[in-house]
Amino acid sequence: MSETSVTPCEVALSAWLAEAFTAALPEQTLANPPRVLSITNPQFGDFQCNEAMALAKAAKMPPRQLAEAALAAKPLPPMVEKAEVAGPGFINITVSSKWLAEQAAAMTSDQHLGIPQSGIGHTVVLDYSSPNVAKPMHIGHIRSTVIGNALDRLLRAQGYAVIADNHLGDWGTQFGILILGYRNFLTDDERTNLTVELLERVYVQSYNKTKEDETWMEQCRAELVKLQQGDADNLAVWKRFIDISINEFNRVYARLDVKFDIWRGESYYNAMLPGVITALQDAKLATESEGALIVDMKDEGLQVCIVRKSDGAYNYATTDIATVRSRVQDFNPDRIVYVTDERQQLHFKQFFAICGKLGYKANLQHVWFGLMRLPEGTFSTRQGNVIKLEALLDEAEARALAIVRESRPEMPEAQQRELAAAIGIGAVKYADLSHDPKGMIVFDWDRALALDGNSAPYLQYAYARICSLIDKYAAQVGKAPEANALAPETPVEKQLLLQLLQFPAAAVSASDANKPNILADYLYALAKTYSSFYQSSPVLQADEATRDSRVRLCTMTAAILRGGLTLLGIQTPNRI
RNA sequence: GCGCCCGUAGCUCAAUUGGAUAGAGUGUUGGCCUCCGAAGCCAAAGGUUGUGGGUUCGAUCCCCGCCGGGCGCACCA
C-alpha cells in the first residue's frame, strides 16, 4: 500500500507542506510527510492536503487554525499560485499550469513514464492462468489469465524481476479415467488427430461409465497406478495429452498476448512430495488422523489440512507446499503471488500458514477474484454448459470486424482482420480489467463484448485520433512535435495536464492493491478529458504557438494512453 | 452452525482506502458533423449507498446487530 505521495508534483508539494507544518508546530515531529492528493472537486483547486485534520488532535489546536498557521509559516513556493484553507481544515492548492506542463513533459519523456522503479532487485513469482490439461480453456479461465497478466506487466513496469509460472493441472486421478477413455472411446483416426476437444469428450464418457460400472473404475485406478509407477506406454500417452493441451493453450495465449517464463505443472513437483512429508514430520507438524496424515491448525483457527490421504496418495496441499519449497530454492523470491478464484481462500490460508511454520521466507500472497457464472448458475464440463474461451474470442473479433468493415471499407481484408483482433480482444480484456476483481461476474455476451461507452475501443479510438492528428501535423508543419514548447492556456488543458500526472500513482496503486481496474478507470477518465479537449480545442487551425503547444499535449496524452493500455495488455493500433 | 466476500441510479459498475455537492457507462429525452476521425462531444432526468444502531470535525468505506445473495468448511484440485 502506498501511503505516501507518488508523483513528483505531489512530492514537491508535500516537501513544502512538511516544512510549513514543522514551522507551525515546533514541538512536534512529523511521522510522515504530509500526504498531498489530487483534488476531489476541481472548483477548489488542483491539489489538496488533509493533514491538518489528522494532526489537530496531537497538536491540541483546531484543524482550521493549524492549517492557517502552516500556510502563514512559510512563503508559497514558486509553483503554487494559491493556497487556502477550506471547510474543517482542507488546504486547497492551486499551482501554475506552466509548472504542471514542465512536470508532465519530464514524466512523459521518462522511459518508465514516471513509474517509480521500486521493484529493482526484487523477485516475484507470479502463478496465474493454470488451466487443466485435457480440457479446453473456457470463459472461467479468462479472469485469472487477464488479471494475472496485467499484474505481471505492472510489476515488471516497476522493475521487479517477475517469473510468470503457468502451474498446469497435469497430474492427478483424472488421468486414469482419461487414459482408459482414450484407449476405448476413440477411433484410430481420432487418436492420430487428437485434440483437446476429443480428450474432453472421452473424459466425460469414461467418467460417466465409472458411475455405473465398478470394474471400470477399478481399471481406471489401475491405469493411474501404472502411470505413477512409470509405465512407458501410459507415460507416453500422458505426455501426449500434455503436448496437445499446451499447444492449444498457446494458441489462446498468443491471441491474448500472454507469455509465461516457465510452465511447471503439478507433475513437476511429484518427486518432491515425499520430501515435503518428511520435512513436515521432522518439524513435528504432521500427525496421523483417521488413517490420513494431517496438519492440525487449531492455533490458526483453521480446519485441519490433509497432506497425505489415507490411501497413501498426496493431495493438492502437499503439491503446493512442494511448489513453494522449490520456488524458494530456485528463485529466492521476495514474494509469490497466486491468482485464482475465491473458492480457494481457505486452502491458501492453510498452506501459507504451513509454509510459514516450515520457515520459507517468501511473502505469500493470494489474489482472489469472484467467480464467473452464467445467468442460470455455475457452469461445469459435466453439465455441458461451458462456453469455450476461443468461442468468446472468435465472437469478439467477429463483432469488431463487422464495425471495422463498415467504418473502414477501403482497408484490405487482412488488415481489417488484424484490427478487429486488436479491438475485439481488447474489449474482452477491458470488460474484465475495468471491474474490481472481487466482484462476481455473471457472464453476458453483450457485456463481455461491449464496444462503446466505457470500453477498450473508446480508449483505442482516442489514441488513434491522436495518432492521426499528429501525422497531419507532421505533414503540414514538417516537424516532430516532441520538442514543441508548452503553453497551456485553457482550463481543459490544465485538467489534462493534472490527469496525465496521475498516471504513475494509478499504476502503482493498481499494482499494490492488485486491482487493475484502478488503472483502467484512470485511463478512461484521461481519455474522456482528452475527448473533451479535442472537441473544444482546435489544434491545427490554431495560431502557431497554441497549435504547437496543443499538439505536444496530444503526444503526451498518446504516450500515457499507450503506456497504460500496454500495462493492461491491450493493443493500441495507430488507426482503428 | 462457523468463516470469507458482496449489496450504491431502471440495468452494469466506480468512488484516490475516513474527506467537501456519491461519479461513469448503458437505457430514456433533447442538442452538435460546409470545422483536426460522430466508435465521438454537450445537456437533462435518474440516489435516504439493503436495514437499525455505534465510533468523530466528517462514514459508501471502520465496529456491532439484523435482511438478502454468492462461495467455502477432512482425504477433488
Side-chain angles (χ1 to χ4, degrees), chain A residues 82-102:
Chain A
K82 194 169 69 172
E84 55 192 11
V85 180
F90 298 106
I91 297 176
N92 292 334
I93 303 160
T94 304
V95 299
S96 79
S97 297
K98 190 79 190 156
W99 181 66
L100 288 175
E102 287 161 12

Side-chain angles (χ1 to χ4, degrees), chain A residues 41-216:
Chain A
N41 187 336
Q43 81 181 53
F44 296 131
D46 304 324
F47 295 94
Q48 64 177 319
C49 176
N50 306 338
E51 213 65 19
M53 271 99 75
L55 293 170
K57 285 164 254 133
K60 294 179 182 138
M61 202 190 285
R64 261 198 86 97
Q65 198 184 321
L66 173 56
E68 273 155 10
L71 287 184
K74 284 275 167 185
L76 295 185
M79 69 279 197
V80 175
E81 286 181 348
K82 194 169 69 172
E84 55 192 11
V85 180
F90 298 106
I91 297 176
N92 292 334
I93 303 160
T94 304
V95 299
S96 79
S97 297
K98 190 79 190 156
W99 181 66
L100 288 175
E102 287 161 12
Q103 299 290 318
M107 180 186 81
T108 50
S109 57
D110 172 35
Q111 60 164 323
H112 304 296
L113 298 174
I115 296 174
Q117 298 299 293
S118 49
I120 287 176
H122 299 284
T123 301
V124 178
V125 174
L126 188 58
D127 181 324
Y128 71 98
S129 196
S130 308
N132 285 325
V133 160
K135 284 185 194 168
M137 292 178 79
H138 56 79
I139 54 169
H141 290 108
I142 189 113
R143 300 205 81 187
S144 178
T145 306
V146 166
I147 293 168
N149 187 247
L151 297 179
D152 183 341
R153 292 165 183 265
L154 283 164
L155 287 167
R156 286 179 210 265
Q158 295 168 87
Y160 286 96
V162 178
I163 297 161
D165 186 4
N166 198 2
H167 191 240
L168 295 177
D170 63 356
W171 197 249
T173 49
Q174 72 270 30
F175 284 97
I177 297 170
L178 209 45
I179 289 171
L180 203 59
Y182 168 81
R183 297 221 167 100
N184 287 275
F185 302 132
L186 289 177
T187 64
D188 288 343
D189 193 45
E190 285 171 332
R191 270 191 288 271
T192 313
N193 304 301
L194 195 58
T195 63
V196 173
E197 204 150 334
L198 286 169
L199 284 173
E200 187 191 33
R201 194 195 79 197
V202 300
Y203 174 78
V204 171
Q205 220 170 332
S206 181
Y207 175 84
N208 288 340
K209 195 163 179 179
T210 63
K211 290 289 174 193
E212 54 211 38
D213 185 347
E214 257 310 299
T215 59
W216 187 262

